[in-house]
Structure formats: structure tokens, C-alpha cells
Amino acid sequence: MSIEQILMIMDKLNMMHRSLLKLAYHKTEILQSAKVEGLDETMKNEQSHIAAISQLENQRQEAVEQFFKERQVTSAGVAVSDLMNYASENEKNQLEEKRKSLLLTVTTLQNQNDMNQKLLFQSLQFVNLTLDLLRPQPDQINYSSTSGNRKSAMQGQFDSKA
């Protein structure tokens, strides 16, 4: 397995993460506009992107393992930084560039997902508040003379001494 193939997989990973980031921005718009109809479809698209990213990451890990097997290196991990120790100077620069680009995309995606989570939480709080306002409030429970009269009336319905 060559480093060029690993670089191609990393490009695909970055492309999929960017596409997922676009979906996250779209989800933000949906949450801000309170149009819930598109939320379900967006979440389904996110799930398919996540599955594709998972497959690409597995391919990348297998490619790095194969690279190390071909060079008979046993103690190395599957991280890009481990791979850089065995690459030429030009390949190191390309790997570092791809790694930084992917990290930037993933960090931006995490920040956007955090914001979406906060927006969703606020929306749920608003829904709960609205439901609480629409629900009838129970009578105030306190100790008063009317509650004593109710108790004696209820005891009259069933006589335990009989």
C-alpha cells in the first residue's frame, strides 16, 4: 500500500466531513426557522454520511496497517503521525497538510454540532414551557377547613366497623 492511496482516502474523508458540515449548517437553519419537516430528512442524510465516514476510516486504518506490514514495521500505530515517521519528506508534507485540513474540518463540525445541540435543547425547553402553560393547573393543595369536610364525607362512603 502506498502513501498516495492513503492520501486519496484522507481526501475522501475530508470531503465527506465537509459534506456533513454542510448538513450541520442546514440543520442549524432548520432549527432556527422551527421548520421541523426537514429535520428528519437531514438526520437521515447525516446517518448515511456517518456510515460512509466510518467505512473510509476503516479503509484508512487498513491501508496504514498494510503499509507497515510491507515495510515489516510491527510496533507502529495506525495514526497519521505514526505513518509520517516512515514517509519521505515530500510525503510527510502532504500527509501533514491533509491531516491539518481534516482536523480543521472535524473541529468546525464539532463546534457546529454543539451549537445545534444547544438550539435543540432550547427548542425543547420552549415546547415544555408551552405545554405547561396549556395544561390545567391542579387545585392548590393546602390545609384548610374545606379539606376536613371532604375527608369526613369520604369516610361516610365506607364504614370499616361494619
Side-chain angles (χ1 to χ4, degrees):
M1 184 66 57
S2 68
I3 295 220
E4 289 81 27
Q5 291 171 324
I6 296 169
L7 288 169
M8 285 175 42
I9 294 171
M10 289 178 72
D11 276 337
K12 289 177 186 177
L13 269 170
N14 199 12
M15 183 180 70
M16 289 303 296
H17 277 91
R18 284 184 184 155
S19 180
L20 189 59
L21 181 60
K22 286 179 185 176
L23 285 174
Y25 286 137
H26 181 66
K27 185 192 259 184
T28 302
E29 292 172 8
I30 290 171
L31 290 172
Q32 288 174 339
S33 67
K35 295 181 181 177
V36 184
E37 301 85 28
L39 189 60
D40 189 41
E41 185 176 333
T42 302
M43 291 178 71
K44 286 178 185 176
N45 286 338
E46 283 180 335
Q47 291 301 317
S48 64
H49 277 71
I50 291 169
I53 288 170
S54 180
Q55 286 179 341
L56 284 170
E57 178 59 21
N58 287 338
Q59 288 177 8
R60 186 199 64 79
Q61 289 178 3
E62 289 172 8
V64 171
E65 287 174 357
Q66 183 66 30
F67 177 85
F68 287 135
K69 274 185 187 177
E70 289 172 0
R71 282 148 187 81
Q72 299 175 347
V73 177
T74 57
S75 64
V78 292
V80 174
S81 57
D82 296 327
L83 184 63
M84 290 172 65
N85 294 331
Y86 298 94
S88 69
E89 196 61 38
N90 184 31
E91 292 169 335
K92 279 183 188 180
N93 292 336
Q94 290 177 337
L95 284 168
E96 183 62 24
E97 180 185 323
K98 302 288 182 197
R99 187 181 74 81
K100 283 182 181 179
S101 175
L102 187 57
L103 281 174
L104 178 64
T105 304
V106 168
T107 303
T108 307
L109 180 60
Q110 286 175 334
N111 292 337
Q112 192 64 34
N113 281 337
D114 287 343
M115 185 166 76
N116 285 344
Q117 184 179 8
K118 289 175 185 172
L119 283 171
L120 192 58
F121 182 72
Q122 287 176 350
S123 295
L124 288 174
Q125 283 181 323
F126 180 74
V127 167
N128 284 332
L129 175 68
T130 305
L131 287 174
D132 286 345
L133 291 175
L134 294 175
R135 242 181 282 166
Q137 297 296 321
D139 291 335
Q140 199 171 22
I141 300 173
N142 58 8
Y143 297 104
S144 67
S145 62
T146 58
S147 65
N149 292 340
R150 237 187 282 158
K151 186 176 180 186
S152 63
M154 291 186 66
Q155 284 180 349
Q157 292 177 0
F158 180 73
D159 189 9
S160 62
K161 293 181 181 179

